[in-house]
Amino acid sequence: MKTLILQGLAVLGFVFFSAMFLVWWERKVSALIQNRVGPMVVGWHGTLQTVADSVKLLLKENIVPSGVDKLIWWLAPFFVVVPPVMAFVTLPFGKSMIVRDLNVGVLYVASMTAICVLGIFMAGWGSSNKYSLLGGMRAAAQIISYEIPLLLSSVLVVMETGTLSLQGIVEAQAHGWFILKPHLAIAFLIYLIAATAEVNRCPFDIPEAESELGAGYHTEYTGMKFAMFFVGEYTSFFIVAAMATTLFLGGWQGPFLPSFVWFLIKTYGIIFVLMWVRWTLPRVRMDQMMSFAWKVLTPISLANLLIGGWFMVNA
Amino acid sequence: MHKRAGMGMLRKIKVFYLNVKSLLVGMKVTFKNMFAPRVTLQYPQEKQPMKENFRGMVDLIPEDCVICYQCIRICPTAALDLGHKQIIVDEKKKNEITKFTFNTELCCFCGLCEEICPTEAIFLNKMYEVAAFRHEDLLKIDLMDAQKYKHLDKNYIFKKKE
């Protein structure tokens, strides 16, 4: 019981620390790309900027707009934050750094990240704001569409290893990461693209398209509730990057350094690439995005699954 | 019809290829920019050096002034006010400035006084942070005083024009 509480506290601490770090880092990467310097005043190179921001958000007034669907509006931020935190339970941070090695790990993480869409849709519906509702509906359509290529590319890894346990998948990559195999490299690319859409990031950030919807589903939220949407967003961002690391980049495997360091290096590397993509590419239109999911990504991942399966049977 | 459908497919593949290529070109551009020099100026700590022809506040080198009243005459907004009296030094008549004040409120920073001045005594310096706490601080600035803008800018140092 005592270790369970400690593990829970460690996960929670890591979640909030990681979200704060990622917000700071996102601002720094955007500044780097746009020839700026980013936050510089609070702490060394602005490292404590997010701390100051969260204190500000904590002290802000909690405004409840008139006409909101109260229960749904109040519950929505929790539905965005809690599922990604729960997905941390089965992430293999290191050789023995895992809370519970579930034998359905891949399925568990995928289903937990999929619950987020419920929270986003609840926020859009509960706000009784037409733009929020549009954002929520877009999020629902987008996340459900991109779930399919995401899972189809994970299935290839499961076929390769024959286990759903994440620790088992990492151990199967002891003699070469999965990204080195051609069909799994394609699966990795599909996974990255689908994961970007899954966490509503640019170029697939139409649920919160600032120019069209005015921040979309979290327009009506203020203070700590707004901060919870941010934490949820960056936590699921960390989860998809960690899953990409675990499934394709060999998880915590690596020479010399301790295993959790390797895991964090790889995960933050993928996060950096996704940030780089975000600050480079413009947003796609809704119809372009849906047709890309159904006409390009899903067929390619299905074909990839077929060819990969054929190789596994015949090789 | 069949042939055209085939061409359409080829075209689509070509468009897809070009799209992917353009994405990579964009990524390359942003990656290069990560290592480019920064353009940010940490303003209150760092200051932008002003250009040679920048027209800031009116400033004066009192020793160079010959009291010709050209600047008073040319000033379109009558922002300058000059007065003098005759004094006798070593049995020679000499003019001395009694007051030379500058009204910031009226000044339009045209620089005509600087242009007309025969001895280049009056000039426009490089000050650009010229906010004051009180209205009166901007009305009558004594140009004869070497500390004239000290109340607007703590770091003001009287400098002769280069």
Side-chain angles (χ1 to χ4, degrees):
Chain A
M1 191 65 199
K2 208 173 170 185
T3 50
L4 205 66
I5 289 168
L6 272 177
Q7 282 166 336
L9 282 178
V11 164
L12 269 181
F14 182 79
V15 165
F16 285 99
F17 179 77
S18 159
M20 280 164 130
F21 172 74
L22 285 181
V23 170
W24 172 77
W25 208 32
E26 173 107 61
R27 292 179 67 178
K28 274 291 182 196
V29 169
S30 76
L32 272 176
I33 285 172
Q34 296 167 350
N35 291 0
R36 297 182 286 113
V37 292
M40 286 293 275
V41 178
V42 191
W44 181 80
H45 278 240
T47 23
L48 299 176
Q49 184 64 50
T50 350
V51 180
D53 286 349
S54 25
V55 169
K56 184 205 83 173
L57 285 169
L58 269 171
L59 295 176
K60 265 182 115 170
E61 185 191 356
N62 180 29
I63 299 166
V64 185
S66 60
V68 297
D69 195 329
K70 279 237 173 71
L71 180 71
I72 292 179
W73 192 78
W74 273 90
L75 277 178
F78 297 97
F79 271 80
V80 176
V81 172
V82 175
V85 176
M86 282 165 73
F88 267 81
V89 167
T90 188
L91 280 186
F93 277 81
K95 206 168 266 181
S96 55
M97 279 176 79
I98 183 165
V99 180
R100 283 284 180 281
D101 186 17
L102 302 179
N103 57 0
V104 288
V106 177
L107 192 66
Y108 175 79
V109 172
S111 48
M112 280 302 147
T113 46
I115 292 177
C116 285
V117 69
L118 185 63
I120 289 172
F121 193 67
M122 277 163 79
W125 173 260
S127 295
S128 75
N129 169 342
K130 53 183 173 296
Y131 296 116
S132 297
L133 181 59
L134 270 174
M137 282 167 72
R138 283 175 171 196
Q142 171 183 335
I143 294 177
I144 290 167
S145 313
Y146 278 87
E147 197 91 322
I148 293 158
L150 187 90
L151 284 177
L152 283 178
S153 50
S154 320
V155 160
L156 209 57
V157 176
V158 175
M159 278 159 65
E160 188 81 28
T161 53
T163 173
L164 279 166
S165 141
L166 291 178
Q167 200 71 291
I169 287 170
V170 173
E171 271 151 17
Q173 296 177 69
H175 306 293
W177 301 352
F178 281 160
I179 196 174
L180 299 174
K181 300 182 180 180
H183 56 286
L184 285 165
I186 295 168
F188 175 67
L189 275 181
I190 294 167
Y191 184 92
L192 264 195
I193 294 168
T196 322
E198 180 85 9
V199 292
N200 302 327
R201 286 180 64 80
C202 214
F204 304 107
D205 63 343
I206 53 162
E208 43 191 286
E210 293 92 345
S211 47
E212 303 152 36
L213 301 177
Y217 55 87
H218 53 58
T219 310
E220 303 293 345
Y221 286 88
T222 48
M224 208 51 215
K225 286 212 191 64
F226 176 73
M228 277 173 81
F229 276 105
F230 246 74
V231 169
E233 197 175 300
Y234 279 96
T235 311
S236 24
F237 186 25
F238 183 88
I239 296 268
V240 292
M243 281 299 281
T245 308
T246 312
L247 295 179
F248 300 101
L249 296 183
W252 42 259
Q253 309 266 12
F256 311 122
L257 294 170
S259 54
F260 73 95
V261 175
W262 272 109
F263 178 81
L264 289 181
I265 287 174
K266 288 170 187 171
T267 306
Y268 283 114
I270 284 175
I271 284 173
F272 172 75
V273 170
L274 290 185
M275 280 178 178
W276 176 17
V277 168
R278 176 185 173 170
W279 292 99
T280 305
L281 304 180
R283 183 182 305 131
V284 295
R285 270 200 328 260
M286 184 69 193
D287 61 314
Q288 287 171 337
M289 209 194 62
M290 295 306 279
S291 64
F292 182 67
W294 291 104
K295 291 181 188 168
V296 180
L297 272 191
T298 311
I300 288 179
S301 51
L302 274 173
N304 192 28
L305 194 66
L306 199 71
I307 295 165
W310 188 82
F311 266 113
M312 278 171 221
V313 172
N314 286 298
Chain B
M1 205 61 203
H2 267 283
K3 203 180 175 187
R4 282 192 62 181
M7 289 300 282
M9 193 66 206
L10 270 181
R11 219 183 123 261
K12 266 185 185 164
I13 290 171
K14 195 188 165 194
V15 167
F16 185 77
Y17 165 74
L18 287 175
N19 283 349
V20 171
K21 200 180 148 196
S22 72
L23 295 186
L24 294 177
V25 169
M27 302 279 282
K28 196 178 146 196
V29 168
T30 43
F31 191 74
K32 269 187 192 161
N33 269 293
M34 281 185 208
F35 305 102
R38 308 289 94 186
V39 293
T40 308
L41 192 77
Q42 294 289 342
Y43 167 59
Q45 291 93 39
E46 296 172 51
K47 297 233 162 117
Q48 182 76 49
M50 287 293 118
K51 289 275 152 51
E52 187 50 45
N53 56 354
F54 179 77
R55 300 203 294 256
M57 298 297 256
V58 172
D59 216 332
L60 179 80
I61 307 162
E63 306 87 66
D64 288 0
C65 184
V66 291
I67 321 178
C68 62
Y69 281 85
Q70 293 269 38
C71 48
I72 310 297
R73 236 171 259 157
I74 196 113
C75 184
T77 57
L80 294 166
D81 193 6
L82 174 61
H84 79 283
K85 65 175 182 204
Q86 270 189 349
I87 51 160
I88 296 163
V89 182
D90 301 337
E91 296 177 357
K92 269 190 230 162
K93 278 181 192 169
K94 208 183 163 192
N95 287 336
E96 196 194 60
I97 299 169
T98 49
K99 63 161 182 179
F100 201 157
T101 58
F102 166 53
N103 190 341
T104 323
E105 201 176 36
L106 294 177
C107 184
C108 62
F109 304 99
C110 60
L112 285 175
C113 47
E114 184 181 26
E115 257 176 62
I116 202 96
C117 187
T119 56
E120 293 188 348
I122 195 161
F123 65 97
L124 269 63
N125 65 16
K126 306 267 184 287
M127 274 180 77
Y128 54 92
E129 294 162 316
V130 290
F133 283 103
R134 285 176 302 155
H135 185 209
E136 302 87 66
D137 287 350
L138 297 168
L139 290 181
K140 267 192 174 180
I141 287 160
D142 185 11
L143 289 181
M144 305 297 288
D145 183 7
Q147 308 276 312
K148 57 183 91 69
Y149 293 121
K150 212 68 176 178
H151 62 294
L152 302 186
D153 180 3
K154 265 185 266 168
N155 302 321
Y156 170 77
I157 315 157
F158 177 72
K159 251 192 315 205
K160 288 187 181 178
K161 205 187 173 192
E162 294 87 38

